[in-house]
Amino acid sequence: MSKFFIAFLAFLLSVPAVAEDQVLAKLFAQQGIDGTIIISSLHSGKTFTYNNPRASQKFSTASTFKILNALISLEEKAISGKDDVLKWDGHIYNFTDWNRDQTLESAFKVSCVWCFQELARRVGAEKYRSYLRKSVYGELREPFEETTFWLDGSLQISAIEQVSFLTKVYLRTLPFSSASYETLRQIMLVEQTPAFTMRAKTGWAARVKPQVGWYVGYVETPKDVWFFATNIEVRDEKELPLRQKLTREALQAKGVIE
């Protein structure tokens, strides 16, 4: 096991004792939003946290589960690669970007629910149980519906667990092939500059009360890798952009990105 991963596990056990980061607290206070964020370095051992109690609290995974779901779907050959096509059946959805054929890559980027529900039917409930257990991913409430469990609150995860999971994804210590990892790495790309590369996924748990918005991922810099998990209470759909805004401002405040 990687020495970095062992060190990271030690950090996770100590998170509740970490002092509140006042810089991060100010960012949330300025927006008047209830939420949490964890930013953690792979190499330096530095960790910045706002709202420790909420960071330990489990919430519906929503579309952040698409990170693991993509790995599972690729590993089980439910889809062959990032350019494999999922055919739209003509049903009109409220999200215009969903109303067309999708590739795995486009479905991931527009967070296409019907696409991943189709993949879920191909994978099946038993496979999900197995992979969730092997990946030590969140908490699954039984019984569950195989096409909605990540949306309806049956599968829940904390911000701390999100960061732990993302670390294992980055270090490739989960039971997936190199090809599956590489495809996920490609479809998670959000931004690439000479100074950093960001890979991430949003989530919006709209079927639970109160609603929760997620932004999770990692930033690669020349000297380090920084994992992050943000969640906020969503009182109005107009607040959804705060997921990315608060995360970016926090990463800038801590010198991870400019």
Side-chain angles (χ1 to χ4, degrees):
M1 182 180 291
S2 164
K3 63 180 181 181
F4 298 120
F5 188 51
I6 293 172
F8 189 79
L9 288 177
F11 144 70
L12 290 177
L13 294 175
S14 67
V15 162
V18 175
E20 287 288 320
D21 188 292
Q22 295 306 307
V23 173
L24 301 182
K26 184 177 179 180
L27 295 176
F28 280 79
Q30 287 171 341
Q31 297 296 338
I33 200 81
D34 186 19
T36 187
I37 186 169
I38 300 175
I39 301 172
S40 184
S41 159
L42 179 63
H43 298 309
S44 74
K46 292 181 180 178
T47 298
F48 309 108
T49 308
Y50 165 64
N51 199 342
N52 288 319
R54 187 179 175 98
S56 302
Q57 187 177 348
K58 297 180 192 294
F59 297 94
S60 174
T61 60
S63 286
T64 65
F65 179 62
K66 288 184 173 67
I67 297 172
L68 180 55
N69 208 355
L71 282 172
I72 294 170
S73 298
L74 288 161
E75 202 70 16
E76 290 299 312
K77 310 302 181 186
I79 197 163
S80 62
K82 70 183 183 71
D83 298 319
D84 199 8
V85 175
L86 293 156
K87 288 290 186 180
W88 177 46
D89 66 2
H91 179 86
I92 301 298
Y93 296 90
N94 292 332
F95 298 94
T96 304
D97 286 340
W98 296 1
N99 298 327
R100 62 174 186 266
D101 292 351
Q102 302 281 346
T103 62
L104 177 61
E105 183 170 35
S106 71
F108 189 90
K109 293 191 181 303
V110 302
S111 217
C112 178
V113 168
W114 71 258
C115 300
F116 280 85
Q117 288 180 319
E118 173 57 29
L119 294 176
R121 294 184 188 96
R122 299 177 187 180
V123 171
E126 279 306 312
K127 291 291 185 180
Y128 280 123
R129 287 189 183 92
S130 176
Y131 279 109
L132 287 168
R133 184 173 60 253
K134 291 175 183 176
S135 301
V136 194
Y137 184 94
E139 183 177 333
L140 180 64
R141 184 179 66 235
E142 295 276 4
F144 68 93
E145 169 54 51
E146 71 183 17
T147 60
T148 60
F149 66 92
W150 65 93
L151 302 169
D152 61 20
S154 297
L155 180 61
Q156 298 192 333
I157 196 168
S158 70
I160 291 173
E161 291 170 327
Q162 291 271 26
V163 170
S164 174
F165 167 70
L166 289 164
T167 305
K168 289 182 282 189
V169 168
Y170 181 81
L171 295 175
R172 301 191 175 190
T173 60
L174 298 173
F176 299 101
S177 67
S178 295
S180 295
Y181 277 121
E182 179 57 28
T183 298
L184 176 67
R185 192 183 72 87
Q186 292 175 28
I187 66 176
M188 280 186 70
L189 181 65
V190 170
E191 184 177 357
Q192 192 163 29
T193 75
F196 69 89
T197 299
M198 181 184 291
R199 293 183 166 84
K201 185 71 191 75
T202 56
W204 178 20
R207 302 188 188 186
V208 301
K209 300 296 181 184
Q211 295 184 11
V212 177
W214 285 102
Y215 196 47
V216 306
Y218 59 91
V219 177
E220 297 170 279
T221 68
K223 295 183 179 180
D224 211 340
V225 183
W226 293 86
F227 302 92
F228 62 83
T230 303
N231 73 52
I232 61 172
E233 181 177 325
V234 179
R235 299 162 299 190
D236 187 285
E237 188 173 339
K238 294 178 182 178
E239 293 179 330
L240 288 172
L242 289 175
R243 299 170 297 179
Q244 294 99 319
K245 177 180 171 61
L246 282 166
T247 301
R248 190 172 192 89
E249 288 177 349
L251 290 169
Q252 289 171 331
K254 291 305 172 184
V256 177
I257 63 176
E258 295 182 354

